[in-house]
Amino acid sequence: MRSHGQAAWELLLPAAAAPARRRGRALQEALREAVRSGRLAAGTRLPSTRALAADLGVSRGLVTEAYEQLTAEGYLRSDRGAGTWVGDAARGRLGGAPATGATPDPGGETRAGEALDALGPRPATPARGAGAPAVRVDFRPGTPDLSLFPRAAWSAAQRAVLARLPHPALGYPDPRGLPELREALAGMLTRRRGVVAGPERLVVCSGVAQASSLLGFVLRARGLDAVGIEDPGSPEHGRLFASTGLDTVWLPLDEEGLRPEPLAASGVRAVVVTPSHQFPSGISWSAERRAALLDWARAVDGYVLEDDYDGDFRYDRAPVGALQGLDPERVVYTGSVSKSLAPGLRLGWMLVPEALLAEVVERKRTMDLGNPVLDQAVLAEFVTRGAYDRQLRRCQRAYRERRDALLSALAEHLPGTGVSGIAAGLHVIARVPGRYGPAERFLARSAEAGVALRPLEEYGTARPGDGDVRLVIGYAHLAPAVVTAGIRVVAEAVGRG
Amino acid sequence: MRSHGQAAWELLLPAAAAPARRRGRALQEALREAVRSGRLAAGTRLPSTRALAADLGVSRGLVTEAYEQLTAEGYLRSDRGAGTWVGDAARGRLGGAPATGATPDPGGETRAGEALDALGPRPATPARGAGAPAVRVDFRPGTPDLSLFPRAAWSAAQRAVLARLPHPALGYPDPRGLPELREALAGMLTRRRGVVAGPERLVVCSGVAQASSLLGFVLRARGLDAVGIEDPGSPEHGRLFASTGLDTVWLPLDEEGLRPEPLAASGVRAVVVTPSHQFPSGISWSAERRAALLDWARAVDGYVLEDDYDGDFRYDRAPVGALQGLDPERVVYTGSVSKSLAPGLRLGWMLVPEALLAEVVERKRTMDLGNPVLDQAVLAEFVTRGAYDRQLRRCQRAYRERRDALLSALAEHLPGTGVSGIAAGLHVIARVPGRYGPAERFLARSAEAGVALRPLEEYGTARPGDGDVRLVIGYAHLAPAVVTAGIRVVAEAVGRG
């Protein structure tokens, strides 16, 4: 094993230069101090005694003795024949308490980032409290089925990309994104989502959250001080825009889309909307409201951020094209592979109006210089070869099956429950009759039974007060049998009303 | 080929539903309009006539006729037997002129981002002006040799990672970075760079530029309004910090490091420094100045950003440990794989003082939710297996050889040239005697001969006025023979003084 740089071992050189009679002890002291001080971190593999002795110009016996001594003292640990490592008994000298968030989230499945693209707040359900039973079925929305990630195909595309990519492509990226990916995405989005796209308008970014940050900074620099968000909608947008210096204003929805009067009265000049499949209500905006929103944007010289977070997953035949296709100079369109491939790829896109383009690109540049190149090239390969379309069809089949399982289970086990937003996406809204409630009891009993649910009221200001229990149920990440079992468990826990 | 989603073709459904006698024409009109409007982008592959006919419920002959008609008109193009694509003759309806920067940079090798990690400004050399001869040898600093990227080993690590990574790891990332990578990097940096690191202090980011942005936002939120930068140093830091609302103040260096008096008088409470191998001068800060800087930081309750941009490349034996090891609570340490692997990976790290950690992580979260997971896992694999150390040794050997070629060529072809900053890094400072000057003529003649050079004065405010020509010469990306040839060409172009 000759995989070690020499830098750290040079710490030991002064000891090696000590007079012969105390060289062994000096070496042990230096090594011990290096471990104690954290300069050799726990888990670091030490060079072989032969290699270190050669590097230091001392006898191998001296090094062996030092390793044995420190192993005996607990600074090092060794596996017979496999090598010697720095142990974790000694503690470094970093001041302060363990870092905030340094311990894993007890919920495990809800890391800090997860709520973001899910466009939902951190869960406040009792399921995550201390002493609560483990979550067995988690219906909180936002995560796709990660087991559907096409590992073999992705791996093959990675190999192909590394074999063909010219050397200069490994250099500093174009902050707008890899040209071949922008070309591929523009074609794909035009075809699938009815947008008006050209590669020159497309900016590759790390996902919808970064798109929101980028646009937030640009709008703030233009003097805007607030952005409107749908009510119900995503409180997480508030946190994102707050990081750019913008306030957020809830704007009420009805069953057709954003209500025009409160929008006009709000004074904002930018809004974030989800017109194809509103989050979380699941409605599709009416044509009139789409047109009215664009009229408003033109009248106030404003902009619309269209978050097409699950536009790829429609289960009916009605084409719901993106709003952007109606006015590419007023709508910033954004989407990502988070639901179709994996959120961990952090790969998304924006279509940006001409007037904002240079500012968005400059922000992207100062934020990270551009997205990593290899994943971009792999996605371009994927889209161009048709593998992305295949993946979408595969997800769509799986998710439709799960939705159907959910609808059947609700009908069977919680009869009377109304369900909306079922035509598309990865979640539905369920309105469970008041006889199963009240909501606090419903959620608490479910949580006690190991089922995590998220109430609709976490996504907005409405409090209907009719006693019904409104839930946002994510199903895409759960196998059909798990969906069915989860709803049955809930029904048993809350009792027949 | 069944790789097409159905969405776009649904645009054609109304035409397919037209009365039989005008169905063919309606189909052609709808297809033509879809191309003309940009809804079907140039380069999009059309479904086979059989598949589209089946989807639309029309006869295959009708589709064949439509394809042939539109191919004849130039909307589509077809390769006999290989398929039919949307042509690029029709122009979409995007308003406005071509996007700023949409055309490739004529220089090619200096994309917008490149200057950033290079910590240098955009070149202002005549080599890039209109009509200037092509750059044959580019000595501008900042790029490693991209041909040294270990493609086979990286590809193998990618395969291994995709085979073993558990599904949940593909979900939303930890904004601090993948735990296994933070563990591996903390050990590696402790060992190689003498820092005090634990995984709980390490934040994975997209590189030094993002580290600067993250820290800039955090300091701005704490009320700071300016950051000090070394003079000479990197003007690009000014642009990065400006994007976070911070001004930058040049602080003079001497041959030992930052001069204490101007620092104290500046009123800033944060500085960016490169003490291990100062950019661009190449000096290593003296121990006294390192201590003085930390004393200053403690006295003003300030912070130091240590940009260890090329700390991995030392050609002598003197260990120059990172400043961070002396005070991990005052120094934010940052580095990346941009010089050791490839800038296109956009993968770097920060070691963050306890007091700033939560704010930095929250900024990282709102900026992009965290770095992409797969590349992080691959780098962890690389570091843990020893492949990263091997790569560093390989680069170091190559770069030392190129440095030696440069020093020999300067001594032979431009005798009397003083060279400094040669002990480490990917560039040197050359001070060419005034008899070869003046500088404007020297640079212009070199550029005319196809050699791009960058003068030292682009990196700071000093204007010595002694007539010597001071250059920052990057050599790491050039083969030894190219280095030698480039210097010979310069000598011939500028004439013996």
Side-chain angles (χ1 to χ4, degrees), chain A residues 48-360:
Chain A
S48 69
T49 53
R50 187 198 312 271
L52 185 56
D55 274 6
L56 297 178
V58 301
S59 77
R60 190 173 169 195
L62 226 54
V63 175
T64 304
E65 197 181 348
Y67 280 19
E68 286 174 355
Q69 178 65 27
L70 268 75
T71 302
E73 292 175 10
Y75 288 90
L76 305 180
R77 57 188 177 76
S78 75
D79 288 352
R80 186 62 47 205
T84 304
W85 285 264
V86 176
D88 54 9
R91 280 285 163 255
R93 286 177 178 163
L94 289 176
T100 313
T103 49
D105 187 310
E109 73 295 331
T110 51
R111 293 221 195 88
E114 209 152 301
L116 262 163
D117 272 10
L119 306 180
R122 309 285 178 80
T125 63
R128 301 178 68 241
V135 173
R136 291 186 296 156
V137 181
D138 189 345
F139 281 117
R140 291 171 296 188
T143 310
D145 186 341
L146 299 167
S147 75
L148 292 177
F149 182 74
R151 290 182 184 234
W154 194 260
S155 189
Q158 282 180 327
R159 257 198 316 282
V161 158
L162 270 176
R164 72 161 167 74
L165 214 60
H167 291 318
L170 295 169
Y172 287 94
D174 186 327
R176 295 167 299 162
L178 198 68
E180 66 193 73
L181 178 59
R182 289 186 289 130
E183 190 84 40
L185 288 175
M188 185 271 283
L189 294 170
T190 300
R191 177 166 54 79
R192 293 195 69 95
R193 302 296 301 130
V195 297
V196 177
E200 72 282 1
R201 290 297 185 88
L202 199 138
V203 177
V204 176
C205 63
S206 84
V208 172
Q210 186 174 60
S212 303
S213 279
L214 287 168
L215 184 64
F217 280 118
V218 167
L219 296 177
R220 184 75 192 87
R222 289 183 160 223
L224 271 67
D225 52 19
V227 173
I229 58 176
E230 295 170 313
D231 181 6
S234 161
E236 181 59 22
H237 273 131
R239 286 188 280 273
L240 284 172
F241 287 116
S243 79
T244 72
L246 290 169
D247 289 329
T248 38
V249 178
W250 290 106
L251 296 171
L253 281 174
D254 59 23
E255 61 286 347
E256 283 196 68
L258 219 47
R259 289 174 48 209
E261 300 76 19
L263 170 62
S266 70
V268 301
R269 284 175 49 216
V271 294
V272 183
V273 295
T274 51
S276 297
H277 183 238
Q278 202 274 332
F279 186 89
S281 76
I283 64 161
S284 179
W285 283 37
S286 70
E288 291 72 20
R289 289 295 171 81
R290 292 169 164 243
L293 182 71
L294 296 174
D295 286 343
W296 165 85
R298 291 177 206 118
V300 301
D301 188 20
Y303 290 99
V304 174
L305 178 61
E306 177 178 23
D307 176 359
D308 200 26
Y309 69 102
D310 66 359
D312 286 314
F313 301 107
R314 297 180 300 103
Y315 308 121
D316 52 21
R317 292 275 306 174
V320 186
L323 186 68
Q324 192 266 6
L326 297 174
D327 193 343
E329 304 303 336
R330 289 292 165 194
V331 179
V332 181
Y333 172 92
T334 181
S336 78
V337 303
S338 291
K339 305 289 184 280
S340 53
L341 287 167
L345 291 178
R346 308 307 314 127
L347 201 43
W349 46 79
M350 309 171 73
L351 290 167
V352 185
E354 170 71 18
L356 299 178
L357 188 58
E359 290 157 83
V360 167

Side-chain angles (χ1 to χ4, degrees), chain B residues 226-231 237 241 247-251 258 263 266 268-273 296 303 305:
Chain B
V227 173
I229 58 176
E230 294 170 313
D231 181 6
H237 273 130
F241 286 116
D247 289 329
T248 38
V249 178
W250 290 106
L251 296 172
L258 219 47
L263 170 61
S266 70
V268 300
R269 284 176 51 216
V271 295
V272 183
V273 296
W296 165 85
Y303 291 99
L305 178 61

Side-chain angles (χ1 to χ4, degrees), chain B residues 206-224:
Chain B
S206 83
V208 172
Q210 187 174 61
S212 303
S213 278
L214 288 168
L215 185 64
F217 280 118
V218 167
L219 295 178
R220 184 75 193 89
R222 288 183 162 224
L224 271 67

Side-chain angles (χ1 to χ4, degrees), chain B residues 409-429:
Chain B
L410 288 171
E412 182 180 350
H413 300 294
L414 291 169
T417 296
V419 187
S420 56
I422 65 172
L426 285 66
H427 74 276
V428 299
I429 299 281

Side-chain angles (χ1 to χ4, degrees), chain B residues 26-104:
Chain B
L27 190 62
Q28 290 173 28
E29 281 169 0
L31 201 50
R32 197 181 290 115
E33 175 55 23
V35 174
R36 198 187 285 131
S37 69
R39 292 194 167 223
L40 286 178
T44 302
R45 185 173 186 162
L46 274 74
S48 70
T49 53
R50 188 199 311 273
L52 184 56
D55 273 6
L56 297 177
V58 302
S59 78
R60 190 174 169 193
L62 226 54
V63 175
T64 304
E65 195 181 350
Y67 280 18
E68 286 174 354
Q69 177 67 26
L70 269 76
T71 301
E73 293 174 10
Y75 288 90
L76 305 181
R77 57 188 177 75
S78 77
D79 289 353
R80 186 63 48 206
T84 303
W85 286 265
V86 176
D88 54 9
R91 281 284 163 255
R93 287 178 177 162
L94 289 176
T100 314
T103 49

Side-chain angles (χ1 to χ4, degrees), chain A residues 39 116-117 172 190 369 393, chain B residues 38-39 116-117 172 190 369:
Chain A
R39 292 195 166 221
L116 262 163
D117 272 10
Y172 287 94
T190 300
L369 304 192
R393 282 200 297 275
Chain B
R39 292 194 167 223
L116 262 164
D117 271 10
Y172 286 95
T190 301
L369 303 193

